[in-house]
Amino acid sequence: MTGIRSITDPRNTSATTSLSVSQLNIWMKNCIEGAAKNVRVYGEVSSLSRPRSGHLYFTLKDQDAEITCVMFRTYTNQLPIDNILYHGAAVELEGQVTLYAPRGQYQLVAVKAHLYGEGRLRQQYLLLEKQLSQEGLFDPTKKQNLPKYPMQIGVISSPSAAGFIDFVKMMRLRFPICSLRLYPALVQGKHAAQSLCLAMHKASQAKDLDAIVLCRGGGSLEDLWCFNDPDLARAIFSCTIPTVNAVGHEIDHTIADKVVDVRAATPTQAAVLLTPNHAELYQHLQQYCDRVIHLTRHLLSHKSWSLHHLHQSLTHPKEKVEQQYKNLRVLQSTMRTHILHIMRKQTQEITRIKSHLTIRRLVAIVALTNTRLQHLSSRIHRCSIALVQAHFERLAFMRDKLDTVNPHHVLQRGYVIAQKDGKVLDSSNNLQIGDRVRMIFHDGVRELIVEK
């Protein structure tokens, strides 16, 4: 266009000099990008769009104004936590302000994003939660069961905390025989995390505690931040005594809630989870007592009847002795008769044997026995020769079979046996450079070193 002195600085033009829209937008683009190369802007995210390209397009606004923003895929992959950008999120963006010349529209190209205000704490909480989860501090298989009837409970809290007072009231109401031992600690402020860790270490070393309770009333995320301390989480995880976290209200959540064995929504609920109700317990005991009395009366009645029945069935000892004496006489008579019968039978058998034992018969028996003995001796000799021959043949067969598998014969055909550390090598993958290998040949042994 004629009459234009400079498109880089319109202030050098006279009143009669005019610029095209393109030239004006290019000049504005240079001005904006030169002056806003690295800016930080905070506001609320709205109109978020996530196309398939992976880029994020959204609007950042406050009560009075808004600006169009874009974060390219290269930077979205570098966000500290997933889904940090969502509709309604309070964030702080770092980037450069640019102007799209064809449309005359300026926007913020963001390269970094952080949650802003309380959202920053939320971001730190999520990062810490992810780290401790990877360490295994939230493993549900490591959780311990609470004691059914605890007799002594350690409480980590501030003596003036409202949550501690509520916990003590409910404990006295439900199970007054359980004693409480306070481990004083700060529950809010800069030094609270260190104070809680010291109290936790001290309580975990006690030998007579049935459970440990971390107790505090509700508060903001900043107020409860000391219960998100990683050192406190590790101290809780390493404690061998069952632990309960009773911090805040039901809507409050801390890292300690995920590490302890049981999370209570409030200090009052912690007392309920830890102890039985003494009134209900008394009622159950009364029922058991009534049942024991009933069973005892029933047992006594049954035993009394059994005793009466046994008393009726008892006889006088004199009668039993007379009866046993009669039985003894019968047995004596029977035994005498039986002995005489056996003696007669044995006498007859002796007489029969004597009649058969003559000199001639004995000679015949000896001759027959001698003949049988010679015959058996001959058979034993023949069987022994056959058995020895069979064993010699089997031995020769086994010797020939051993010769066929004798590794010495295999080595004579050009094979060798390679050993490393006293073990046979069956694969080249088990060798490395510098290894010593023992090679066994048919006529000797050599040691080699692997060079390649």
Side-chain angles (χ1 to χ4, degrees), residues 114-322:
H114 306 279
L115 291 173
Y116 187 73
E118 188 170 309
R120 185 182 297 275
L121 290 179
R122 180 63 179 170
Q123 176 179 335
Q124 295 179 16
Y125 174 87
L126 295 176
L127 289 172
L128 181 61
E129 181 184 43
K130 182 178 181 181
Q131 174 190 346
L132 297 180
S133 177
Q134 292 173 350
E135 293 182 21
L137 267 65
F138 306 154
D139 188 355
T141 61
K142 302 296 178 63
K143 304 294 184 185
Q144 304 180 76
N145 295 325
L146 296 180
K148 193 171 183 180
Y149 302 107
M151 298 309 297
Q152 185 148 258
I153 295 176
V155 184
I156 299 175
S157 182
S158 171
S160 60
F164 171 68
I165 297 173
D166 292 342
F167 177 78
V168 173
K169 288 181 179 179
M170 183 55 68
M171 286 292 295
R172 289 175 177 172
L173 180 65
R174 287 181 58 85
F175 204 56
I177 64 173
C178 179
S179 61
L180 302 178
R181 182 185 301 167
L182 177 64
Y183 292 87
L186 299 176
V187 292
Q188 183 175 338
K190 182 179 179 180
H191 303 290
Q194 182 181 3
S195 178
L196 288 169
C197 287
L198 292 175
M200 189 67 211
H201 284 299
K202 186 175 181 181
S204 62
Q205 294 174 0
K207 303 298 183 182
D208 55 349
L209 292 182
D210 298 314
I212 298 175
V213 180
L214 286 85
C215 190
R216 187 203 188 280
S220 65
L221 183 58
E222 292 181 351
D223 295 337
L224 303 179
W225 191 251
C226 56
F227 292 93
N228 295 323
D229 184 74
D231 292 334
L232 177 61
R234 296 185 181 97
I236 296 173
F237 181 76
S238 61
C239 180
T240 58
I241 303 172
T243 53
V244 178
N245 196 48
V247 175
H249 302 298
E250 187 172 357
I251 60 174
D252 297 325
H253 293 276
T254 63
I255 293 295
D257 287 329
K258 298 179 177 293
V259 185
V260 294
D261 299 308
V262 176
R263 186 250 179 183
T266 62
T268 301
Q269 190 193 30
V272 175
L273 293 175
L274 276 167
T275 59
N277 190 327
H278 78 283
E280 296 178 358
L281 188 61
Y282 177 79
Q283 183 178 0
H284 290 323
L285 289 175
Q286 187 63 43
Q287 292 176 354
Y288 288 139
C289 289
D290 294 341
R291 187 176 179 185
V292 169
I293 293 173
H294 174 74
L295 292 175
T296 303
R297 288 176 177 173
H298 176 73
L299 181 62
L300 288 174
S301 176
H302 176 72
K303 293 300 182 182
S304 177
W305 181 86
S306 299
L307 181 61
H308 176 73
H309 177 72
L310 291 173
H311 179 72
Q312 295 295 329
S313 61
L314 286 175
T315 57
H316 196 278
K318 183 179 179 181
E319 296 178 2
K320 294 185 70 69
V321 170
E322 291 178 354

Side-chain angles (χ1 to χ4, degrees), residues 67-70 72 96-100 105-109:
I67 182 174
T68 302
C69 303
V70 61
F72 296 114
Q96 179 180 4
V97 179
T98 64
L99 186 141
Y100 184 57
Q105 179 181 3
Y106 87 101
Q107 62 182 2
L108 175 64
V109 179

Side-chain angles (χ1 to χ4, degrees), residues 26-38 96-101 107 109:
I26 290 173
W27 178 81
M28 291 296 296
K29 176 180 175 68
N30 293 334
C31 291
I32 292 174
E33 293 181 356
K37 290 184 178 180
N38 188 14
Q96 179 180 4
V97 179
T98 64
L99 186 141
Y100 184 57
Q107 62 182 2
V109 179

